[in-house]
């Protein structure tokens, strides 16, 4: 038992029990030998409280685990951030969204096309045509530009007259543009834009998962600390009863106390051993829960041992301007904003469908080399331009999509409004809990000090014969109960501060920065 961790009962533990004739011993003292004439009645045996069993560990984990050092909250949060499966799952979803973004960008890849044809038999045998183009989409105009080369040899059918070239071949270049529909947005740009927003949404959801996990990690760590400190309180309470048993046995031997008091104190020891055993179980359960967040280098759960308990609870700073921080940094609000942005893009695409299509195309070509089978018409430099126009008359499909998308945007905006109001109410409610738990802790701390003073005073009176055994036990156990209530009040205050940090998206307090 480390004395530095004895937060509870500070006065009660520093002053030795009154009326104790022998120095304190860890185990129950030996009984004096029975006398021939007066054979004392032996008190029920008092067994030592069993030490908590260490959690089973693999050989590699046992070798890697620190043997005797304090486990800090910062270590737990760092391990949880790096290895916790729920956070890793959210990170994998971010990678999946990035893959879909890359897939959508493929719509703007440069495309190379090639074709060839050769007549092996028949009237046009020995004639060949081959060609290829390189086409690159224009992202801002919904069109593309291209260049190509082709050549032909021999005689081709008249219905393939456009494939004739001069002997060396033909070079060409052109551009196709959308002037109305698809000018500012089309399906390719819409898919790419929404895929980029999906990456941001996945990042926001990753942050939501991380905040939730880190808040739970803080609660699990402090539950483990509270269980260890509570165990210290009950072990010290048990120690007082065992030390008193030794002194009472000496006094009974000398005839200063009735023999029945040994049985009564032994019963008291058993009751306090029960409290210790229950607290050891709670400590083991808390360590098991904490292992979900504190992991080894391979990401496997690792259970902390009791010798790694800190001396006190860690400090969780309160965020300054929690409401402002939440409204500016909450990832769930950002995710809603991005979903509204996606629907706004959808609305722009739907409105694009209302526009008539007017496409422009320009091309220039030049045949190279001596005149081929197609004749001299291929020799001059050739340019051409063209326009194409189309428009649906009713356009009901586009109008229906616009109406549906507008309604979805309105619904998302209402959801965002409620989310903001809920965040403000949530933070105000948590702030009330923080202030209340702070006050309850101060009251519990004051009560613990008074109860400790009363227990010390009653023990002195008992040693002087001015008090009875029942009353001194009541005072000691009341002091222990007050110390436990103080620990519980402190734990609730820390959890409230962690909840406030999570609600405000205080990433530094949660170990995410």
């Amino acid at each position: 038992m480390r004395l530095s961790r004895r937060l509870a009962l500070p006065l009660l533990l520093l002053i030795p029990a009154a009326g104790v004739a022998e120095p304190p011993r860890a185990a129950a003292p030996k009984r004096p030998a029975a006398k021939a004439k007066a054979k004392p009645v032996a008190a029920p045996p008092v067994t030592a409280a069993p030490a908590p069993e260490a959690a089973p560990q693999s050989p590699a984990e046992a070798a890697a685990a620190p043997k005797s050092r304090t486990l800090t909250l910062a270590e737990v949060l760092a391990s949880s951030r790096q290895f916790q499966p729920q956070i890793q799952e959210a990170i994998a979803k971010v990678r999946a969204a990035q893959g879909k973004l890359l897939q959508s960008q493929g719509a703007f890849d440069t495309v190379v096309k090639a074709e060839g044809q050769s007549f092996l038999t028949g009237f046009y045998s020995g004639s060949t045509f081959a060609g290829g183009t390189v086409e690159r989409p224009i992202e801002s105009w919904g069109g593309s530009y291209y260049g190509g080369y082709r050549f032909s040899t021999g005689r081709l059918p008249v219905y393939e007259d456009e494939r004739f070239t001069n002997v060396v071949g033909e070079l060409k270049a052109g551009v196709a543009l959308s002037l109305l529909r698809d000018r500012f947005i089309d399906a390719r740009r819409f898919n790419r834009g929404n895929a980029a927003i999906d990456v941001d949404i996945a990042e926001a959801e990753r942050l939501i998962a991380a905040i939730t996990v880190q808040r739970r990690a803080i609660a699990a760590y402090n539950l483990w600390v509270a269980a260890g400190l509570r165990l210290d309180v009950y072990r010290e309470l048990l120690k007082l009863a065992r030390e008193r048993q030794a002194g009472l046995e000496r006094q009974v031997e000398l005839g200063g106390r009735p023999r029945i008091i040994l049985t009564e104190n032994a019963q008291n020891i058993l009751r306090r051993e029960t409290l210790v055993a229950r607290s050891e179980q709670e400590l083991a359960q808390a360590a098991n829960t904490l292992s979900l967040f504190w992991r080894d280098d391979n990401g496997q759960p690792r259970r902390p041992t009791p010798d790694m308990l800190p001396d006190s609870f860690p400090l969780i700073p309160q965020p300054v301007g929690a409401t402002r921080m939440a409204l500016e940094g909450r990832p769930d609000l950002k995710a809603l904003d991005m979903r509204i942005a996606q629907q706004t893009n959808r609305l722009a695409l739907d409105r694009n469908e209302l526009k008539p299509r007017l496409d422009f195309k320009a091309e220039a070509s030049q045949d190279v080399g001596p005149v081929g089978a197609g004749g001299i018409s291929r020799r001059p430099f050739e340019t051409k331009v063209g326009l194409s126009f189309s428009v649906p008359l009713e356009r009901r499909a586009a109008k229906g999509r616009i109406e549906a998308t507008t309604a979805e945007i309105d619904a998302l905006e209402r959801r965002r409004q409620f989310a903001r109001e809920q965040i403000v109410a949530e933070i105000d409610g948590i702030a009330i809990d923080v202030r209340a738990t702070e006050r309850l802790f101060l009251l519990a701390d004051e009560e613990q000090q008074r109860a400790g003073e009363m227990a010390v005073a009653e023990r002195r009176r008992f040693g002087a014969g001015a008090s009875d055994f029942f009353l001194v036990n009541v005072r000691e156990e009341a002091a222990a109960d007050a110390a436990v209530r103080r620990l519980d009040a402190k734990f609730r205050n820390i959890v409230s501060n962690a909840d406030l940090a999570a609600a405000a998206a205080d990433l530094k307090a949660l170990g995410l920065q």
Side-chain angles (χ1 to χ4, degrees):
M1 181 63 59
R2 296 180 294 174
L3 294 179
S4 59
R5 290 190 5 242
R6 295 172 185 172
L7 297 182
L9 307 176
L11 297 176
L12 184 63
L13 305 182
L14 292 177
I15 302 177
V20 177
E22 296 181 1
R25 288 175 288 180
K30 292 183 179 180
R31 306 298 198 287
K35 296 184 180 180
K37 295 183 179 179
K39 193 171 184 179
V41 178
V46 178
T47 57
E53 295 183 0
Q57 294 178 326
S58 65
E61 184 180 8
K67 300 302 180 184
S68 182
R69 66 172 181 82
T70 298
L71 177 62
T72 65
L73 177 60
E75 291 179 77
V76 173
L77 292 179
S79 176
S80 175
R81 182 184 65 234
Q82 184 175 4
F83 296 113
Q84 221 283 337
Q86 289 174 296
I87 297 179
Q88 295 301 312
E89 177 188 0
I91 292 175
K93 290 181 178 179
V94 173
R95 295 201 307 269
Q98 291 171 341
K100 291 180 180 178
L101 173 60
L102 182 62
Q103 178 183 355
S104 68
Q105 291 171 342
F108 299 94
D109 288 347
T110 301
V111 178
V112 177
K113 299 178 181 178
E115 61 175 327
Q117 175 181 301
S118 180
F119 291 89
L120 300 180
T121 61
F123 182 78
Y124 298 103
S125 62
S127 300
T128 301
F129 168 81
T133 59
V134 178
E135 183 177 2
R136 175 74 178 180
I138 302 176
E139 299 183 15
S140 58
W141 280 82
S144 62
Y145 56 88
Y146 58 91
Y149 169 79
R150 64 192 181 99
F151 76 95
S152 64
T153 61
R155 298 183 62 186
L156 298 174
V158 65
Y159 48 82
E160 295 183 1
D161 180 76
E162 74 278 1
R163 293 191 173 188
F164 279 112
T165 66
N166 284 354
V167 173
V168 178
E170 178 197 67
L171 297 172
K172 67 176 179 179
V175 61
L177 302 175
S178 297
L179 302 182
L180 292 177
R181 184 188 297 183
D182 296 346
R183 166 67 178 85
F184 297 102
I185 188 171
D186 57 13
R188 298 176 303 173
R189 281 173 283 180
F190 167 77
N191 291 334
R192 184 184 62 178
N194 273 17
I197 295 177
D198 280 337
V199 174
D200 294 333
I201 291 175
E203 285 284 358
E205 292 175 347
R206 179 198 63 80
L207 191 55
I208 292 173
I211 288 174
T212 302
V213 167
Q214 297 298 80
R215 181 185 61 80
R216 290 168 48 209
I218 292 175
Y221 176 83
N222 284 281
L223 182 65
W224 175 65
V225 174
L229 296 176
R230 190 182 302 113
L231 177 59
D232 283 351
V233 171
Y234 289 134
R235 280 178 173 171
E236 292 299 336
L237 189 65
L238 175 61
K239 180 181 176 183
L240 289 174
R242 286 177 171 169
E243 290 174 349
R244 181 175 295 116
Q245 182 77 0
L248 291 175
E249 286 180 354
R250 178 63 59 87
Q251 292 183 22
V252 168
E253 290 280 330
L254 299 176
R257 298 279 184 182
R259 190 166 290 111
I260 191 63
I261 201 171
L262 294 178
T263 302
E264 185 177 2
N265 193 60
Q267 180 185 10
N268 192 41
I269 290 174
L270 291 173
R271 182 170 61 251
R272 296 182 181 184
E273 283 181 339
T274 301
L275 294 174
V276 170
R278 187 180 302 158
S279 297
E280 289 172 345
Q281 178 187 5
E282 293 173 354
L283 178 60
Q285 291 286 0
N288 183 61
T289 301
L290 184 57
S291 68
L292 295 176
F293 305 97
W294 187 50
R295 296 171 177 265
D296 59 22
D297 293 339
N298 295 322
Q300 298 302 312
R302 179 166 53 175
R303 295 182 187 177
T305 55
D307 62 334
M308 303 174 72
L309 282 163
D311 298 335
S312 60
F313 288 103
L315 175 65
I316 306 295
Q318 293 186 19
V320 179
T323 302
R324 176 185 54 80
M325 288 180 61
L327 295 180
E328 293 178 356
R330 279 280 290 255
D332 48 349
L333 279 182
K334 292 181 178 179
L336 281 174
D337 288 337
M338 287 179 279
R339 294 191 187 280
I340 291 174
Q342 283 186 325
Q343 292 302 317
T344 303
N345 289 345
R346 166 68 68 180
L347 182 60
L349 182 64
D350 295 338
R351 287 173 175 167
N352 175 69
E353 296 298 318
L354 289 176
K355 299 177 182 179
R357 178 172 295 281
L358 179 62
D359 295 338
F360 169 80
K361 184 176 182 180
E363 183 178 290
S365 62
Q366 176 67 63
D367 280 71
V368 183
V371 175
I376 61 173
S377 62
R378 270 66 178 174
R379 176 177 294 178
F381 178 71
E382 201 173 77
T383 60
K384 55 184 177 182
V385 296
L387 289 173
S388 64
F389 178 83
S390 65
V391 58
L393 296 180
E394 287 84 1
R395 297 180 291 180
R396 288 176 294 185
K399 291 177 181 178
R401 285 195 296 268
I402 289 174
E403 184 175 350
T405 305
T406 303
E408 291 178 4
I409 292 175
D410 185 62
L412 286 172
E413 288 176 346
R414 300 289 79 77
R415 186 190 302 177
R416 189 184 189 282
Q417 176 187 354
F418 179 72
R420 285 175 60 90
E421 295 169 351
Q422 193 174 31
I423 287 171
V424 173
E426 177 187 5
I427 290 179
D428 289 343
I430 296 175
I432 293 173
D433 288 343
V434 170
R435 291 191 295 269
T437 53
E438 285 176 351
R439 177 168 173 76
L440 290 174
F441 169 72
L442 294 176
L443 292 173
D445 184 65
E446 186 73 15
E447 180 189 2
Q448 185 263 328
Q449 293 182 24
R450 298 293 179 267
E453 293 172 0
M454 291 295 295
V456 171
E458 200 64 43
R459 290 174 63 201
R460 287 174 177 169
R461 293 181 67 242
F462 179 73
S467 179
D468 58 30
F469 183 74
F470 173 78
L471 190 56
V472 74
N473 279 326
V474 169
R475 298 294 189 194
E476 287 178 350
E477 292 178 4
D481 290 342
V484 169
R485 285 194 297 272
R486 177 183 180 276
L487 293 176
D488 292 342
K490 184 62 176 177
F491 171 74
R492 288 194 296 270
N493 178 248
I494 289 176
V495 170
S496 296
N497 282 325
D499 289 342
L500 184 59
D506 187 351
L507 303 185
K508 184 175 181 181
L510 297 171
L512 295 173
Q513 280 186 349

